[in-house]
Amino acid sequence: RAWHSPITTMAEDSNPMREMFIEKLVLNISVGESGDRVTRAGKVLQQLTEQEPCYSRARYTVRTFGIRRNEKIATYVTVRGEKAKDIISKGLAVKEFELRRRNFSAAGNWGFGISEHIDLGLKYDPNAGIYGMDFYVNMRRAGTRVAKRKLRPGKVGQRQRISKEEAINWFEKTWNEDFAKVLN
C-alpha cells in the first residue's frame, strides 16, 4: 500500500480545511484606575461594538499606581463574525494598513493599538474623554475544536497550526485592495 503525501495529492488553495479565518477580535481599554473613567471607557466600547463590555479587575494592590486588589481597572469586549472584520478594517485604516512583523505572534495571532478612539469614526464626547485601545485578532483554521472539546480531546497537527509567516501572508492577501503590508 503506497502512502501519498497530502501536499502532493491536493492543492493547498482548494483544501477547505486549510483556510484561515478570524475567530474573534478582542478590544481592550486599560484605564489603570477604577471609578468613573473605567465606566466611561466601557461606554466607548459599547458605542463601537453595540455589545455589553466586561471589566477586568486588578490582581493585586500596587500602592505606587494607586490601585487595590479586585478593583476594576480595564474593560474589554469580544467581537466575532462580520462585525469583527468591519471593526478591524476601521482600526487598520487608522494605522494606514501597515503592521510590523512583531505585531504577529508565533501562533499566528496578531494585534495592534491605536492612541485615540475618535479616529475610528466615533463622535467625541467631552464627558467621556479620549481613550486608546488595543485590538487583538485570534486566527483559526477548521479542526481546532478537536483540541478544545470536552469529550475525547485530541491534538492539532503541526501542519494545521497557523505559523507567523502564514498569518502575515493571509493579512496581506485579505487586505490587499487597501495596500496592506507588513514592515520589518
Side-chain angles (χ1 to χ4, degrees):
R1 189 170 176 183
W3 181 81
H4 297 287
S5 171
I7 297 170
T8 58
T9 59
M10 198 178 325
E12 286 277 322
D13 297 335
S14 65
N15 187 349
M17 293 295 283
R18 299 284 296 160
E19 289 177 17
M20 291 190 291
F21 58 92
I22 296 170
E23 182 182 11
K24 63 185 175 182
L25 162 69
V26 180
L27 294 168
N28 178 44
I29 298 178
S30 184
V31 179
E33 61 185 60
S34 65
D36 200 32
R37 280 197 49 154
V38 177
T39 311
R40 288 187 300 226
K43 287 210 169 53
V44 166
L45 282 180
Q46 189 169 16
Q47 184 182 0
L48 178 65
T49 62
E50 298 162 4
Q51 293 181 14
E52 190 67 33
C54 297
Y55 295 95
S56 299
R57 296 176 177 274
R59 283 186 276 178
Y60 40 82
T61 301
V62 180
R63 293 183 99 176
T64 55
F65 296 147
I67 58 170
R68 289 188 301 276
R69 187 171 184 263
N70 286 334
E71 73 179 2
K72 295 177 183 175
I73 58 168
T75 180
Y76 66 94
V77 66
T78 302
V79 186
R80 298 173 194 268
E82 280 301 313
K83 192 192 295 186
K85 197 161 185 180
D86 295 339
I87 295 172
I88 292 169
S89 292
K90 287 180 187 176
L92 286 172
V94 173
K95 300 293 276 185
E96 297 175 356
F97 293 93
E98 288 183 357
L99 293 180
R100 299 197 167 276
R101 290 184 65 80
R102 67 173 178 245
N103 289 93
F104 291 83
S105 74
N109 303 320
W110 49 280
F112 59 94
I114 61 169
S115 55
E116 295 182 354
H117 74 273
I118 54 173
D119 293 339
L120 296 171
L122 296 175
K123 194 168 163 247
Y124 174 67
D125 181 15
N127 295 332
I130 294 178
Y131 294 98
M133 64 177 67
D134 300 323
F135 287 67
Y136 199 74
V137 181
N138 200 300
M139 298 297 295
R140 206 180 132 200
R141 270 197 178 116
T144 310
R145 183 182 170 274
V146 169
K148 305 277 186 196
R149 65 188 178 195
K150 185 172 182 176
L151 188 66
R152 294 194 320 274
K155 290 183 180 170
V156 176
Q158 191 63 42
R159 281 194 71 238
Q160 197 65 1
R161 295 182 190 156
I162 300 172
S163 71
K164 184 175 189 170
E165 296 304 319
E166 289 173 323
I168 289 171
N169 291 339
W170 179 89
F171 170 77
E172 289 176 337
K173 191 176 93 182
T174 305
W175 275 284
N176 67 346
E177 70 272 0
D178 299 310
F179 306 105
K181 58 184 159 208
V182 177
L183 308 170
N184 287 340

